[in-house]
Amino acid sequence: MEFLQYFGGVFEPVSFMLLLGGTIGGLILGATPGLSPTMAVALLIPFTFQLQATQGLILLGAAYTSTVAGGAVSAILLRIPGAPANIATALDGHEMAKQGRGTEALHVSFMASGVGGVIGVLLLIFLTPVLAKWALAFGPSHLFWMAILGVTVIGSLDSRSFVKGLLSGCLGLWLSMIGYDDIQGAQRFIFHDSLTGGVNIITALIGIFAIPQVIEMLSKGRVEHKVTSVSVGSQSIFTSMRLLFRNFKAMSIGTVVGSIIGLIPGVGGQIAGLLAYDQTRKFSKDKDTFGRGNPAGVIAAESANNAMVGPSLVPLLTLSIPGSPTAAVLLGGLLIHGIFPGSDLFDNYPDVAWTFINSMLIGQILMVIFGIWVAQYAAKVAHIPPPVMAAAVMVLAVFGSYSVQQSMGDVYIMAVLGIGMYLLEKVGFSAAPLVLGLILGPIAEANFIQGSMIANAVDGPFVYFLNGTLNLFLVALVLASIAYSFISTRSTNKKQVGV
């Protein structure tokens, strides 16, 4: 219970002000398309140079947790995920907003984020030594199978057509191959100078989700679905709390999946929400309602997104291995102040480590409070006239795409992908499987190549990728996921034919 000794450090005036500022600023940055948690934390690092190590980490940690949750705002109200982690939130969250339940969706998203985040940080506090050893057991073969497990989700993400879901995912996998191979340096599908660096995930995310919305607004010239803001009184908040606990199973699945994904170095937290969403739908009795405004989809996705934050810091603080891109930026923040994370971090710098972790625990609570307060104002964005909204979204899309790498090439890629996605949606294809393929492609490819190199030096690829309890367990999960998706889709199609 050593962490209790350092709780007072969080409430020192300067530290607590930084915690408040980081939380509020993170919510705003998270709601801005294109500003991912990694970018938000990176932008704040220069402001920590003149701060004490503990104060700097409090600011960065607060921004990290609240930016992940803040991305739900634009995902729900505009169907533009603030970051890759919020893709699954947009699937049901935006449908709820279209039904006049925008504030309700925001409420449950922040509450679920808070619950998942608190549990994730508690795992970081109590199970760090055990979890660190477990995370270290994951090698290239295991990470490859984890990516393939994510690929098996692709087809079932599109409830309308299993085949079109798979085709969308394959298109995303192909897009992920554009550019130079990170390991062998091979040039692939570079038919324009803008594609030399490949397709950036943030650029693709903005184009695929934002541009179809803009075209739809401009083509119709009116709001097809006007979102009405729900009153945010005490009754509304308590109603949302009851809704959250009625979907306790979705919140539990999201928290467990997010915690596991966050712990594994290199997998990336952006797939936590999608995997949690998929598993929640598979275990639900109302599968057909997902994608049509089921709050369980929002709750599962957002609880997973924040549950992965705490565990993603386990390998960083104990093994110096960042569990996510944002954790890698936090590692830079530690090194700037001369602190080297490792097994002796809690012995040499207990005040820094425990105060930082405690601040993340308090930060989750503050994030929920300010998130609910912001919801009553954010939901009013639905009342903006369509032409004005289209122009504002277009400005945000261009700004977000350009700011990733300060390149107009990214803006061109964003526009092309957006127009292409608009046309694909007209013939029944979905954006979510395509984006998931784009995210998982590099993970699967890099770990397969690394694993093959190792395998050629030992017993060969077959033995390397199929040997060991963990490999066999992951392969079994992959096969079970494929079988379940196929059977579930067939039964759904039979019901529709019967109707």
Side-chain angles (χ1 to χ4, degrees), residues 125-139:
I125 291 173
F126 292 109
L127 300 177
T128 291
V130 177
L131 295 179
K133 293 179 181 177
W134 186 77
L136 199 59
F138 276 77

Side-chain angles (χ1 to χ4, degrees), residues 7 34 60 82 87 118 170 210 224 242 267 274 289 301 323 342 402 469:
F7 249 113
L60 298 179
I87 296 168
V118 167
C170 289
E224 182 180 334
R242 287 195 292 270
V267 172
L274 286 165
T289 62
Y402 181 81
T469 305

Side-chain angles (χ1 to χ4, degrees), residues 63-347:
Y64 182 13
T65 55
S66 58
T67 305
V68 172
V73 176
S74 56
I76 290 170
L77 299 179
L78 303 175
R79 197 174 172 262
I80 307 171
N86 306 110
I87 296 168
T89 307
L91 300 178
D92 279 285
H94 187 63
E95 290 299 316
M96 291 179 69
K98 286 161 63 175
Q99 297 165 14
R101 301 161 65 196
T103 306
E104 181 183 4
L106 289 170
H107 278 177
V108 294
S109 73
F110 284 120
M111 291 176 184
S113 292
V115 173
V118 167
I119 293 175
V121 176
L122 290 176
L123 285 175
L124 174 62
I125 291 173
F126 292 109
L127 300 177
T128 291
V130 177
L131 295 179
K133 293 179 181 177
W134 186 77
L136 199 59
F138 276 77
S141 64
H142 310 114
L143 296 178
F144 168 74
W145 288 119
M146 282 293 298
I148 296 302
L149 178 61
V151 171
T152 63
V153 175
I154 287 175
S156 60
L157 276 179
D158 189 349
S159 58
R160 291 170 294 181
S161 170
F162 183 75
V163 174
K164 287 182 178 179
L166 286 177
L167 289 174
S168 294
C170 289
L171 179 58
L173 290 170
W174 173 73
L175 288 172
S176 74
M177 296 177 65
I178 294 176
Y180 286 94
D181 175 9
D182 291 338
I183 295 176
Q184 298 178 330
Q187 179 176 324
R188 304 175 302 191
F189 308 113
I190 301 177
F191 39 83
H192 190 276
D193 291 342
S194 299
L195 296 171
T196 303
V199 178
N200 184 278
I201 181 60
I202 300 296
T203 300
L205 196 64
I206 294 171
I208 290 170
F209 283 98
I211 301 302
Q213 287 288 99
V214 171
I215 297 175
E216 196 73 23
M217 290 177 191
L218 294 177
S219 64
K220 294 186 176 180
R222 60 186 176 84
V223 180
E224 182 180 334
H225 47 266
K226 186 174 182 180
V227 183
T228 56
S229 177
V230 180
S231 171
V232 191
S234 58
Q235 179 63 39
S236 176
I237 294 172
F238 287 120
T239 300
S240 300
M241 289 179 67
R242 287 195 292 270
L243 178 63
L244 179 71
F245 287 104
R246 279 204 302 270
N247 290 279
F248 181 79
K249 183 168 72 172
M251 187 166 59
S252 301
I253 293 173
T255 301
V256 171
V257 171
S259 298
I260 294 172
I261 295 297
L263 179 65
I264 303 170
V267 172
Q270 57 262 43
I271 70 171
L274 286 165
L275 286 177
Y277 180 90
D278 177 72
Q279 295 305 309
T280 301
R281 187 172 67 176
K282 284 178 178 176
F283 285 102
S284 173
K285 296 179 181 178
D286 304 313
K287 297 180 181 63
D288 296 340
T289 62
F290 280 76
R292 300 177 184 175
N294 191 329
V298 177
I299 291 168
E302 285 303 309
S303 60
N305 290 342
N306 261 42
M308 59 78 53
V309 171
S312 73
L313 300 178
V314 171
L316 168 68
L317 297 178
T318 58
L319 304 170
S320 299
I321 302 172
S324 67
T326 313
V329 178
L330 284 171
L331 174 60
L334 281 166
L335 296 178
I336 286 170
H337 292 281
I339 297 174
F340 297 88
S343 58
D344 58 351
L345 174 67
F346 291 88
D347 295 327

Side-chain angles (χ1 to χ4, degrees), residues 395-418:
V395 169
L396 285 173
V398 173
F399 168 75
S401 300
Y402 181 81
S403 66
V404 175
Q405 299 177 115
Q406 288 76 52
S407 169
M408 282 302 298
D410 285 335
V411 178
Y412 302 147
I413 293 172
M414 178 270 295
V416 171
L417 288 177

